[in-house]
């Protein structure tokens, strides 16, 4: 099955004259960047967008994996935080983030001779509230994983087949996604979330960890569902760690991690 998925992906990529691949270091973008490198050689450039919404550990891991795989790689700076629409953190925040990303990547692609810009969106991503995907499409991005018919499970299987260390890496959206809609996105808010999540990892919790900023100094911790009872048993300890990061109040979500849980507050109309 992995061979079939990779064959379809190679077929999509083989038609391209080159590529600029948005590379965050997650499994989707890693598979796409490495497959493009294998198919197109140095005509495929992996580009990591660096901003305050990218955790430092994620940036370091992306750089290290690109070096290990021998992929041409560049880090560029995006300034979405300077956009008042993005900082306001409405339900359409991701649109403005992707617009900032696409402006930078499009400039890199143009300087490289007009290469297409590729994003690591898979079929399963299309089901969530992601206005950024629409913005990226409108600005000319292509989604080769979607074009090849790859969902998340197929992506992970293909990544494992290729020997990518990220094949089982937990999903990790940008730090801004931890802020409830309406809570302003600031450097301090992003740092607070990053520090709190790093503290929880240091306390021994792995997998998908989120510290959600609900506003008013309130943090909502999400851990893997299997770890909820262990986290509850260590409640005072974990609360202390999160408060040290800058929060005043700390809660534990008894349902555990849920992708895009802030989106549950959106109306059906805005969730489309």
């Amino acid at each position: 099955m992995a061979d079939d998925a990779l064959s379809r992906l190679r077929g999509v990529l083989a038609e391209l004259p080159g590529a600029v691949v948005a590379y965050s270091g997650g499994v989707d973008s890693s598979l796409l960047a490495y497959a493009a490198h294998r198919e197109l050689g140095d005509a495929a450039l992996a580009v990591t967008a660096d901003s305050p919404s990218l955790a430092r550990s994620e940036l370091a891991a992306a750089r290290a994996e690109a070096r290990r795989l021998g992929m041409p790689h560049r880090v560029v700076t995006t300034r979405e935080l300077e956009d008042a629409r993005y900082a306001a953190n409405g339900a359409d925040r991701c649109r403005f983030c992707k617009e900032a990303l696409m402006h930078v990547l499009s400039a890199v692609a143009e300087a490289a001779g007009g290469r297409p810009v590729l994003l690591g969106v898979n079929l399963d991503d299309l089901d969530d509230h992601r206005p950024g995907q629409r913005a990226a499409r409108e600005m000319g991005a292509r989604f080769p994983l979607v074009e090849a018919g790859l969902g998340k499970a197929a992506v992970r299987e293909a990544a494992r087949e290729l020997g990518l260390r990220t094949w089982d890496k937990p999903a990790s959206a940008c730090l801004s996604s931890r802020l409830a809609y309406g809570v302003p996105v600031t450097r301090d808010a992003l740092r607070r979330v990053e520090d709190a999540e790093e503290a929880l990892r240091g306390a021994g919790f792995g997998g998908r960890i989120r510290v959600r900023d609900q506003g008013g100094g309130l943090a909502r911790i999400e851990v893997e569902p299997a770890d909820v009872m262990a986290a509850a048993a260590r409640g005072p300890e974990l609360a202390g760690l999160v408060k040290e990061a800058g929060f005043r109040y700390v809660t534990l979500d008894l349902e555990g991690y849920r992708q895009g849980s802030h989106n549950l507050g959106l109306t059906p109309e805005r969730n489309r």
Side-chain angles (χ1 to χ4, degrees):
M1 184 175 177
D3 288 342
D4 291 342
L6 286 170
S7 179
R8 295 196 303 272
L9 181 57
R10 283 197 297 267
V12 172
L13 296 171
E15 299 176 356
L16 304 178
V20 169
V21 183
Y23 168 65
S24 67
V27 60
D28 298 314
S29 67
S30 294
L31 174 64
L32 180 57
Y34 188 53
H37 172 60
R38 284 166 57 103
E39 196 65 35
L40 304 171
D42 288 347
L45 174 65
V47 180
T48 301
D50 184 21
S51 79
S53 66
L54 178 65
R56 298 301 88 187
S57 59
E58 293 293 320
L59 177 59
R63 279 178 160 149
E65 184 68 351
R67 284 195 300 270
R68 186 183 78 85
L69 296 173
M71 300 188 301
H73 179 227
R74 184 184 304 175
V75 177
V76 297
T77 300
T78 55
R79 294 182 169 81
E80 64 270 19
L81 210 60
E82 299 174 9
D83 186 335
R85 301 170 302 170
Y86 176 88
N89 197 18
D92 54 355
R93 179 199 68 240
C94 287
R95 165 172 284 277
F96 309 124
C97 177
K98 282 297 187 293
E99 287 179 356
L101 173 66
M102 286 299 297
H103 280 304
V104 171
L105 295 185
S106 296
V108 173
E110 184 64 26
R115 300 178 189 176
V117 174
L118 312 182
L119 269 60
V121 176
N122 69 65
L123 281 177
D124 295 327
D125 292 332
L126 303 180
D127 295 332
D128 197 9
H129 171 73
R130 301 198 182 196
Q133 292 177 4
R134 292 195 298 274
R137 276 194 188 276
E138 291 165 3
M139 297 179 71
R142 289 184 61 172
F143 304 162
L145 300 179
V146 172
E147 295 176 35
L150 275 64
K152 196 68 172 186
V155 166
R156 290 195 182 280
E157 187 176 356
R160 181 170 59 178
E161 180 72 17
L162 289 178
L164 301 184
R165 293 174 178 173
T166 55
W167 76 268
D168 62 346
K169 182 178 180 178
S172 182
C174 76
L175 293 173
S176 296
S177 70
R178 274 64 153 180
L179 277 59
Y181 294 121
V183 175
V185 182
T186 65
R187 290 178 181 272
D188 286 344
L190 298 174
R191 176 202 51 77
R192 188 164 54 236
V193 166
E194 182 175 9
D195 289 351
E197 291 186 356
E198 284 299 314
L200 293 181
R201 290 190 182 91
F205 289 90
R208 298 166 299 179
I209 296 172
R210 299 290 185 270
V211 175
R212 310 279 192 189
D213 187 336
Q214 301 298 136
L218 172 63
R220 174 168 58 90
I221 297 174
E222 292 180 3
V223 296
E224 293 284 0
D227 292 336
V228 168
M229 295 304 295
R234 296 171 62 184
E237 174 194 354
L238 301 187
L241 293 174
V242 174
K243 286 182 177 179
E244 285 180 9
F247 289 94
R248 289 197 296 273
Y249 313 103
V250 183
T251 63
L252 174 66
D253 192 317
L254 297 181
E255 293 187 81
Y257 169 80
R258 286 157 294 154
Q259 179 177 329
S261 63
H262 282 316
N263 293 338
L264 298 175
L266 299 178
T267 64
E269 175 68 24
R270 298 178 80 180
N271 240 324
R272 284 201 290 269

